[in-house]
Amino acid sequence: MLMETFTRSKPIEARFDGDLSLKCWVVDALPNAIVQVLDANLLRQDIEHNNAKVQCVSSLMQLALNCSEDSPEERMIMKDVLVAIKNIRLRYVENCKQTYEESISSTLLCL
């Protein structure tokens, strides 16, 4: 579900025929080309925090892959998924805060 949400793609789309699946598409994109598979609307609104968004979504996509392991025994349990999501959120907030502080600092240096 996370992969579908953040890529705005469904695993039943025609492009996912044969060897290519939504999961393989995401695996191939991580970690360096994740922007190419993301829904473009996710990165448009706030250019200032794009790097923080990309890091956050990359982490969420990795989590989605962990949750979609072929073997049920290898999948994460929901309790651990929730902890992981909370940690991803905290990292995102910290990255945004750091970006904001760096922006303010560089603005003050220009004055």
Side-chain angles (χ1 to χ4, degrees):
M1 183 69 86
L2 285 173
M3 286 185 272
E4 290 179 46
T5 301
F6 288 104
T7 62
R8 201 172 188 180
S9 299
K10 296 180 190 278
I12 58 172
E13 290 179 9
R15 66 178 154 177
F16 299 125
D17 284 351
D19 293 337
L20 184 63
S21 67
L22 177 58
K23 184 177 174 181
C24 290
W25 190 47
V26 171
V27 166
D28 290 345
L30 280 171
N32 299 324
I34 194 65
V35 173
Q36 295 174 1
V37 300
L38 290 181
D39 177 2
N41 294 318
L42 292 174
L43 300 177
R44 276 192 201 161
Q45 298 172 0
D46 189 350
I47 294 172
E48 182 179 354
H49 297 295
N50 262 355
N51 287 336
K53 284 182 182 181
V54 169
Q55 289 175 359
C56 178
V57 175
S58 292
S59 296
L60 287 169
M61 295 300 250
Q62 186 60 56
L63 179 63
L65 292 170
N66 292 340
C67 291
S68 63
E69 290 288 341
D70 292 333
S71 170
E73 292 83 24
E74 293 178 16
R75 294 180 198 144
M76 295 177 70
I77 60 172
M78 284 295 109
K79 181 179 175 184
D80 293 341
V81 171
L82 180 59
V83 169
I85 289 173
K86 286 180 179 181
N87 287 334
I88 291 167
R89 180 185 169 274
L90 287 173
R91 278 195 310 262
Y92 174 71
V93 169
E94 282 299 314
N95 286 341
C96 288
K97 180 180 175 185
Q98 181 180 2
T99 301
Y100 175 75
E101 289 171 353
E102 289 170 359
S103 173
I104 294 295
S105 177
S106 65
T107 301
L108 291 175
L109 289 174
C110 293
L111 296 176

